[in-house]
Amino acid sequence: MRQEVHRKPTPGSVADRPAAPYLRGMTNASDIALTPAAAARVAAIAERQGKPAILRLSVEGGGCSGFQYRFGLAEGIDDDDIRVDTDGATLVVDSISLDLVRGCSVDFVDSLGGTAFRVENPNAASGCGCGTSFAV
């Protein structure tokens, strides 16, 4: 697996703020990963839709556990995004969501229960059965 991490520093960005207590010790974007299975799925979806192979992961309030993951293909990369490239696909995370997903791995699973992108989040204190909602 070939993975590259890119970060454009911006004044006042998340990188300039102290880490939340549950994130101390995690200080760089390499703590976020896109697995080869997820990269392959992003590339396949993007090719079908004629879009760049850029998967945006963001976190919103809501869901049954307090926060929920949102996935979508992105048209581009913002200046304050964390960017991780794996096997020709890119995972981007906005600076606001970064504190909640640092240390995560984004995978794609294809099982009898269905197919989905899954986030393995070491920061989550709990989650729900659907796999898209979590609490810290």
Side-chain angles (χ1 to χ4, degrees), residues 5 16 27 31 42 51 60 75 78 84-85 90-91 96 101 105 123 126:
V5 177
D16 294 334
T27 59
D31 291 323
V42 169
K51 294 184 176 182
E60 297 177 352
E75 293 292 330
D78 297 335
V84 178
D85 295 315
T90 301
L91 171 66
I96 295 170
V101 297
S105 175
N123 306 312
S126 64

Side-chain angles (χ1 to χ4, degrees), residues 8 24 29 56-57 60 67 72 77 93 106-107 118 126 135:
K8 293 181 182 179
R24 289 208 170 85
R56 178 168 297 281
L57 168 62
E60 297 177 352
F67 294 101
I77 300 169
V93 179
V106 177
D107 195 10
R118 298 277 181 200
S126 64

Side-chain angles (χ1 to χ4, degrees), residues 19-130:
Y22 56 89
L23 295 174
R24 289 208 170 85
M26 300 176 122
T27 59
N28 61 49
S30 63
D31 291 323
I32 299 173
L34 182 66
T35 67
R41 184 61 176 190
V42 169
I45 293 169
E47 183 178 343
R48 246 190 346 256
Q49 294 185 9
K51 294 184 176 182
I54 303 171
L55 179 66
R56 178 168 297 281
L57 168 62
S58 60
V59 176
E60 297 177 352
C64 48
S65 295
F67 294 101
Q68 57 190 350
Y69 302 111
R70 290 286 184 209
F71 292 102
L73 288 181
E75 293 292 330
I77 300 169
D78 297 335
D79 288 339
D80 66 339
D81 285 341
I82 295 297
R83 171 185 174 165
V84 178
D85 295 315
T86 303
D87 298 338
T90 301
L91 171 66
V92 293
V93 179
D94 64 90
S95 61
I96 295 170
S97 299
L98 182 61
D99 279 344
L100 296 169
V101 297
R102 191 174 310 216
C104 290
S105 175
V106 177
D107 195 10
F108 181 78
V109 293
D110 187 359
S111 67
L112 289 175
T115 61
F117 287 102
R118 298 277 181 200
V119 178
E120 297 295 325
N121 189 344
N123 306 312
S126 64
C128 67
C130 68

